[in-house]
Amino acid sequence: MKFKILVLSLLMSMPLFAQDYILDSITPKYGHLINFEANTFQYASESPYFKKLFNDLDSVYAGKKKNIHVFHIGGSHIQADIYSNKIRTYLQNMNDVSLGQRGFVYPYHLAHTNNPTNYRIEADKSQWQGYRCSVRKDSVAWGLSGVSAAFRGTEDKIYVKANYRNYTKKPYTFNKLRVFYNTWKEDYNLNISDSTLVSSDTINYDGMYKEYRFNRTVDSVTLDLKIKDSTSVSPEFLLMGMEFMNDDPGIEYTTIGVNGASFYWYERAAYFEKQLQLYKPDLFIISIGTNDAYMPKKDFNAEEFRAYYESFIQMIQRANPECAILLTVPNDDYYKRSYANPNTATQQSIILELTRKYKMAVWDLYSIMGGLGSSNNWYKAKLMPSDRIHFTNLGYSIKADLFIKALVDAWAESTGKDKTLLLKHFKNLDE
């Protein structure tokens, strides 16, 4: 969708909402737009994978040190990292042991596209060229992020900050940094500017990253990128992502988002699965689908969508057979601002079938919003912009709170906790 960049630019220029729980306060004004009965993690109570996940969350809630890694993948909703960052903040602010490492991020700024506001990675952008797996004319190597930024100049400095406008009670810190890039080419030297900080560095050619270990914990570093031989023909440094790592247990929440991405486009990322295998996700949230169905009804291939979705589930299970996978039904949207998109209802049926087949859980945002045409009502209430695809910041904040409410309800049901008291804990995190 050609207008996505404009929409997201408008979103990012608006003031951000704080991370406080707003669902109660907005209900009198906007409650009629929301199907609260549909706001559940359907089938979670029947899933052995979610039972394990909720037991692990219970351990962290009780103050026990434990690692839980959440992945959340999607398109522009996730690249912007507005509502997903609010969910991340809820989970990582739970108590003193819940803040895990920041983990994998992508420097979207260097790829000339919108970057989440909660971290910053900057360089001389004029020397970098961005490539997204969702852009048909782009053709480079992509990994887990689905975005790559190419540097073909002589030298540059990359300024890395793990914290910017984030809402965690404690700042993110790291004593290890991974830089993912095309390790099969050795045209450039990549070093930490402050050499006294580095205790060791190693290159993992199979995982396609260089890992720096530091002798102290930091929240920012500067990298020097410099060509080895100025006479090299067609030199290229292809940046695929970074990872802020430390030794602290807790909840880690990784987002993977590419504007305009669908299952088809993510399949172009040849090294996606290879890099996913570096991790063992405990919860994987699939929020892909809007772009798969953004077309006239006659052009939507339901069986192709089912095959892509099922293949993606199986890839996650290869990374971790015990992973809890949350399938999400896309929000209602309008096709080219002209009419409500009927393809989402077809996606809903397929996603519910796959949820039952793989004994996972589903969060049905389509039904929560009110089904076909409901995005127009959300737009009239200023919860979506005129494209009726994305959300305003208030809309995203509501979306995050609906998600955390559904998560807490399913968690409470699985572990026998009082869901009112458990939700109250999250409501009061900012106090």
Side-chain angles (χ1 to χ4, degrees):
M1 287 162 269
K2 293 181 179 179
F3 48 83
K4 275 191 171 181
I5 295 175
L6 173 61
V7 171
L8 285 164
S9 296
L10 290 171
L11 282 172
M12 303 314 287
S13 66
M14 296 169 64
L16 292 176
F17 280 83
Q19 299 297 288
D20 55 309
Y21 187 88
I22 64 167
L23 200 57
D24 293 337
S25 62
I26 62 89
T27 297
K29 184 175 181 180
Y30 301 107
H32 65 286
L33 300 173
I34 301 168
N35 180 356
F36 287 99
E37 290 185 3
N39 187 36
T40 63
F41 281 10
Q42 294 180 57
Y43 309 114
S45 62
E46 304 165 25
S47 171
Y49 310 103
F50 275 84
K51 184 173 181 59
K52 178 182 181 301
L53 172 70
F54 293 138
N55 285 338
D56 289 345
L57 283 171
D58 231 31
S59 294
V60 176
Y61 180 77
K64 298 176 182 177
K65 293 183 177 180
K66 190 172 188 64
N67 288 313
I68 299 176
H69 196 169
V70 180
F71 274 81
H72 195 166
I73 190 169
S76 52
H77 298 292
I78 305 304
Q79 181 176 325
D81 197 27
I82 299 173
Y83 92 94
S84 48
N85 184 52
K86 189 174 186 186
I87 297 168
R88 177 189 294 114
T89 305
Y90 276 128
L91 296 175
Q92 293 187 329
N93 279 356
M94 197 189 313
N95 54 31
D96 290 339
V97 299
S98 62
L99 180 65
Q101 63 186 18
R102 182 59 179 88
F104 185 88
V105 299
Y106 190 78
Y108 294 97
H109 173 81
L110 301 188
H112 299 262
T113 185
N114 58 294
N115 200 89
T117 60
N118 50 77
Y119 63 90
R120 289 181 81 85
I121 300 172
E122 298 179 306
D124 180 358
K125 193 167 69 170
S126 66
Q127 296 197 72
W128 294 79
Q129 184 171 353
Y131 300 90
R132 302 200 313 269
C133 66
S134 59
V135 178
R136 191 177 300 277
K137 67 178 179 60
D138 288 355
S139 181
V140 295
W142 290 290
L144 190 61
S145 64
V147 185
S148 292
F151 179 82
R152 302 179 179 106
T154 302
E155 61 181 309
D156 199 7
K157 284 186 178 291
I158 305 172
Y159 302 94
V160 178
K161 297 179 181 179
N163 303 280
Y164 188 54
R165 294 176 182 168
N166 50 312
Y167 297 95
T168 49
K169 292 180 179 178
K170 298 178 182 177
Y172 294 111
T173 58
F174 55 97
N175 57 17
K176 293 185 286 288
L177 175 69
R178 285 182 179 175
V179 180
F180 291 84
Y181 67 100
N182 54 336
T183 53
W184 59 88
K185 292 200 74 170
E186 299 182 343
D187 301 323
Y188 290 87
N189 287 315
L190 181 68
N191 297 302
I192 303 295
S193 296
D194 181 1
S195 60
T196 65
L197 179 64
V198 181
S199 57
S200 67
D201 63 72
T202 55
I203 297 178
N204 184 315
Y205 289 96
D206 190 51
M208 290 168 284
Y209 64 83
K210 185 172 185 179
E211 181 176 305
Y212 303 91
R213 292 177 178 265
F214 304 139
N215 49 42
R216 63 182 183 275
T217 300
V218 298
D219 63 3
S220 62
V221 294
T222 301
L223 292 157
D224 292 327
L225 181 62
K226 190 171 184 178
I227 198 167
K228 292 180 178 179
D229 181 358
S230 60
T231 64
S232 296
V233 178
S234 302
E236 181 179 72
F237 180 84
L238 202 59
L239 184 57
M240 297 181 182
M242 293 187 184
E243 186 173 7
F244 305 127
M245 306 170 70
N246 60 38
D247 304 312
D248 298 334
I251 298 172
E252 179 180 353
Y253 196 115
T254 298
T255 52
I256 301 167
V258 182
N259 292 345
S262 63
F263 285 112
Y264 169 78
W265 296 121
Y266 274 117
E267 283 231 331
R268 299 178 76 201
Y271 302 113
F272 188 101
E273 182 171 2
K274 180 184 281 287
Q275 292 184 341
L276 182 62
Q277 291 288 340
L278 296 170
Y279 310 97
K280 193 176 180 182
D282 299 288
L283 169 63
F284 205 116
I285 306 166
I286 304 175
S287 293
I288 306 173
T290 297
N291 297 297
D292 298 76
Y294 192 77
M295 61 189 68
K297 185 176 182 179
K298 64 181 178 61
D299 296 333
F300 178 59
N301 188 326
E303 290 310 308
E304 183 179 79
F305 176 74
R306 183 198 305 273
Y308 275 131
Y309 213 124
E310 193 159 11
S311 176
F312 200 86
I313 291 171
Q314 292 167 355
M315 178 183 64
I316 297 167
Q317 290 183 320
R318 288 194 292 272
N320 180 13
E322 297 183 350
C323 182
I325 305 174
L326 180 68
L327 287 62
T328 67
V329 181
N331 57 269
D332 179 68
D333 65 70
Y334 264 56
Y335 180 65
K336 293 189 175 180
R337 310 182 190 222
S338 300
Y339 58 86
N341 191 344
N343 297 327
T344 311
T346 305
Q347 289 180 307
Q348 179 190 47
S349 298
I350 293 169
I351 291 169
L352 288 170
E353 288 174 16
L354 292 176
T355 303
R356 292 189 291 267
K357 178 176 179 178
Y358 286 91
K359 294 182 173 61
M360 296 300 174
V362 61
W363 188 57
D364 187 356
L365 183 59
Y366 182 66
S367 292
I368 295 165
M369 286 182 64
L372 185 66
S374 57
S375 57
N376 195 46
N377 297 325
W378 282 57
Y379 161 62
K380 289 177 180 177
K382 295 184 167 52
L383 300 179
M384 301 182 85
S386 59
D387 69 0
R388 284 160 288 188
I389 299 170
H390 301 94
F391 294 82
T392 61
N393 276 294
L394 177 57
Y396 277 123
S397 192
I398 292 171
K399 186 176 175 180
D401 284 4
L402 286 165
F403 183 97
I404 204 72
K405 170 72 164 58
L407 171 67
V408 165
D409 286 351
W411 172 1
E413 182 180 357
S414 177
T415 60
K417 283 215 163 13
D418 184 324
K419 66 180 182 181
T420 302
L421 291 177
L422 187 56
L423 184 60
K424 183 179 179 181
H425 174 78
F426 284 94
K427 288 181 182 181
N428 297 331
L429 287 179
D430 285 340
E431 293 184 359

